[in-house]
Amino acid sequence: MSLLKRRGMIFPAFSIHGGVAGLFDYGPVGGRLLRKVQQEWREHWLSKGNIVEIDSPTITPDSVLAASGHISAFNDHASECNACNAIFRSDHLVEEFHQNPDSLSGPDLDAILTTNNVACPSCKESDWLASRPMNLMFGTRIGATRGGRQAYMRPETAQGMFLTYPMIQRHFRNRLPFGAIQVGKGYRNEISPRQGMIRQREFNMAELEYFIDPETDASHDFTKWDGIEFNLIPDPAGGQQNETKMGISAALNENIIRHPTVAFFMAETFDFLINIGANPEKIRFRQHESDEMAHYATDCWDLEMLGSYGWIECVGIAHRGCYDLGAHEEATNSKELRAWREFAEPIEIDKEVAAAVGAVIGPAFRQQAGLVTQALSELNDLPSAFPFDLNLSDGTTVSIEENMVEIKRVQETIRGEWFLPHVVEPAFGLDRIIWHILDHGYEMTEKEGEEYLILHLTESVAPYEVVVLPLFEKDGMDEVANQIQRDLLKLNGIGVYYDGSKSIGRRYARADEIGVPWAITVDHTTIEDGTVTIRRRDDQLQIRISQDDLAQHLQNGTLGSLY
Amino acid sequence: MSLLKRRGMIFPAFSIHGGVAGLFDYGPVGGRLLRKVQQEWREHWLSKGNIVEIDSPTITPDSVLAASGHISAFNDHASECNACNAIFRSDHLVEEFHQNPDSLSGPDLDAILTTNNVACPSCKESDWLASRPMNLMFGTRIGATRGGRQAYMRPETAQGMFLTYPMIQRHFRNRLPFGAIQVGKGYRNEISPRQGMIRQREFNMAELEYFIDPETDASHDFTKWDGIEFNLIPDPAGGQQNETKMGISAALNENIIRHPTVAFFMAETFDFLINIGANPEKIRFRQHESDEMAHYATDCWDLEMLGSYGWIECVGIAHRGCYDLGAHEEATNSKELRAWREFAEPIEIDKEVAAAVGAVIGPAFRQQAGLVTQALSELNDLPSAFPFDLNLSDGTTVSIEENMVEIKRVQETIRGEWFLPHVVEPAFGLDRIIWHILDHGYEMTEKEGEEYLILHLTESVAPYEVVVLPLFEKDGMDEVANQIQRDLLKLNGIGVYYDGSKSIGRRYARADEIGVPWAITVDHTTIEDGTVTIRRRDDQLQIRISQDDLAQHLQNGTLGSLY
């Protein structure tokens, strides 16, 4: 963290105003790293061809979050010390006494606190009030005047994809499977933020909701991952007790991974992380046990990355069934959250219907007669008695007498049905991933008897692709270096900075510390013949090439081929 | 707006839950348009070489916004109808009676309401209570437990750059000028949102803070804009009464634009908008009049774009002096918000100082003796009387007697000074810009006697670069089209979709409506010889080329050269 602060990567936000726990800035170097990780993530999914990106508001009205379950269930338990009134997350207090404390109920947490005489971290007494659930959403009100509407900062980006499902479905002309992604801020009003970047109050999320027809066999090609062994920790309830290494197809065939689309997204997520520089040995998948998983989920895997905080959940990949669309359908009566499934063969059925008798309905309901006729035609079952109440599409209810309808036998052809798609959701915590990419790339080595740091970042996420250094800021070397910087900046998407302060060794070291893959040096020979030296961060080898070749190879990403 | 909704560009958010005024979604087509505009904006500034990107939290503690002035001054006046209690923005109520109503004070607004008998839009009475200022920030609290801290959702991204100034300055090794950008959400709790996308409660901002030394002549090369006439509406106080067309250098030389860096950013902003497809005839710059401008600003121009709502402010370019950094310095006593200016020649000065007498200070202050000696050495002026109070760096104050110091004459060399940089800020409302890009690109034409819509978007921002269409979904044409889609998706950053539903004419029309520049059609000839037809949106001309050439030209952006 001290390196990250010193080199302008990431630092506690608002520090000149005293700081706020759980809020961080990405600085002049970290800002571009964050953008590049976001961009790589986007391209990874958008290049599948049946996935689109949306962008929805972070301010979310209460009715949405009541339907999604966040108002009732987005809680942590908090315990208050009866002696000093300090408040802590209950699961943090008991974590040395239980393997998975955030799955515990309030009474279970209280029992562990009491049985083990857990001491208050503030005053060392052990006298706890009963734990209480605390909602973790940031509340606000929409409308600057009285009578505003209760709202919250979104706890996840996922609701945006569920609520725009009608447009996504229309965009793909109802052809499942399809998905939508969203990259943006999520908010969680932590009781006591800790672990720096790992547990923030405002964080960068990236989520994908992939909509599938549960009755269609998911077809995924897993040959790409043949020969790759994944680190898996399956739910012990499945019979497999320990961490294991296994191919993705094998895990699916043995029903350890319970759905092919879940397996597909696990493997694709692995690929994404390797592409941005994660160490495959420091990635594992841990399956949720049934008491850990939301009741509606049928399979759920955490991708964990190993770093200075141990194994940390960085991605969750969950099969959420039709829970989310179903919850919004129930709350809103919207008819737009379904997909159409055509039957292989149309079904012909005979059924009895209560058909409207126009001569009675007309005079009885006048302007509403059309609505009554329509509502009768949409009844699924015959009325069990008369009179009965009939709900019309204008929201009113009318009473239907026996003489208003005629029971008829009709034949109907049913070509298909509307159903709630199922959802597989990979949800990424980008700040945690960035933390681990930095951790995995960090190599403390030695140079001339002193510690020397190299940050091995892939070109795809390095904050700058290249630094331009004049050997000295004199004899025209600085002007040439400035000109090379300007020329290279014209290349699309290439980040280039100029560094002229202090010795050339110090400047190489500064570039290595922030992971710049290539350093261009302008020296006396450059002034004579226009060539520059190129130094590769990872092995510090230098070669000399012309400025034209430099631009060409940088643009094509082929500088490495010269070595 | 109806096209935007229908085609998945932009639509009112949370609509299945009844909607919330002033909140919008970017849908499956609009999401990528937004991202591409953001990406173009970033690259435009980052390619200058002395500008970096940062990313800071949207949740902002109250002390920051008290220092910036937003808690006291981020208001609109609201008027309440005494008859029906409806509340409206006062400036909206009087806009037909004043040219620039949002510059008016509360009493002035009340006077106009009364004099003109302005009717309440709800109940048509004309009986207004005195207008009141309403703060427009969304409030929230940090900390899920009691004793949380008051905070607000940021009203602008700019504060992030001021607060991270110490890291930005360190990154650039104190070499002014330099700048930082931020792209992200801003929030404004409008009293009564209207005008759709133009006035949102949560919006996409993009701001640049450019830090300069006010004593260094700004050097900008304006030759790039020679021959370009800008539409300017100068402050009438400067003598120029009407809209005028003028080169940027001329406007600067005639002191209509009051600072070269303001002129530079006006011209660069113009370039950015043209590159993403704005119509230059529908862009003008309007200079703020002195009563419209914040008291600390020395020059301020609104870039306005013409569209269906008339001329709308889309960018503000302001010279903000040292107001922002100075306000945070005053609020926090931070010493990190300044830059160092070395004098051309060091200054030698003779001065009298009150030097500590160690033999007296030591016994008198013991452990604090060092701090006292230091504080005495930092005094700028000799004490005017004894004893006097001296503030130490540990926050305590001590009393200094006459015998504790010795008045000495010393010579000092001053090599430079710390000063507050000035700031020039271009602030962009991206949603408004996108609205106008769509407006400027919208062409309603005719085809076979029916209305036909073409959306002329530049490739740099078009939501998809290309659509792949099988002439029919049979005879293998759909498989080939799907394969072409997959192949093209491997090209970096190219968005490609497949469309197989309905007639080919309908599908061309749908692509033209959302601004897809190129349509690839797979027909029977494709099956025979592998060639495809390429149709250009803007003139609907078709050519036939091989699939290999297609990929090559798409990647290089050179498809147009084939025509």
Side-chain angles (χ1 to χ4, degrees), chain A residues 464 485 489 496-498, chain B residues 45-52 172:
Chain A
Y464 285 100
Q485 185 205 15
L489 281 168
V496 189
Y497 74 104
Y498 168 96
Chain B
W45 302 115
L46 294 179
S47 68
K48 304 294 169 218
N50 67 340
I51 293 173
V52 290
F172 286 111

Side-chain angles (χ1 to χ4, degrees), chain A residues 127-157:
Chain A
D127 180 8
W128 297 102
L129 297 174
S131 63
R132 284 168 301 159
M134 296 251 179
N135 192 281
L136 298 176
M137 289 193 291
F138 283 93
T140 191
R141 292 192 77 77
I142 299 169
T145 59
R146 294 164 314 179
R149 178 170 180 184
Q150 181 64 48
Y152 300 92
M153 301 312 298
R154 66 180 177 201
E156 58 178 21
T157 65

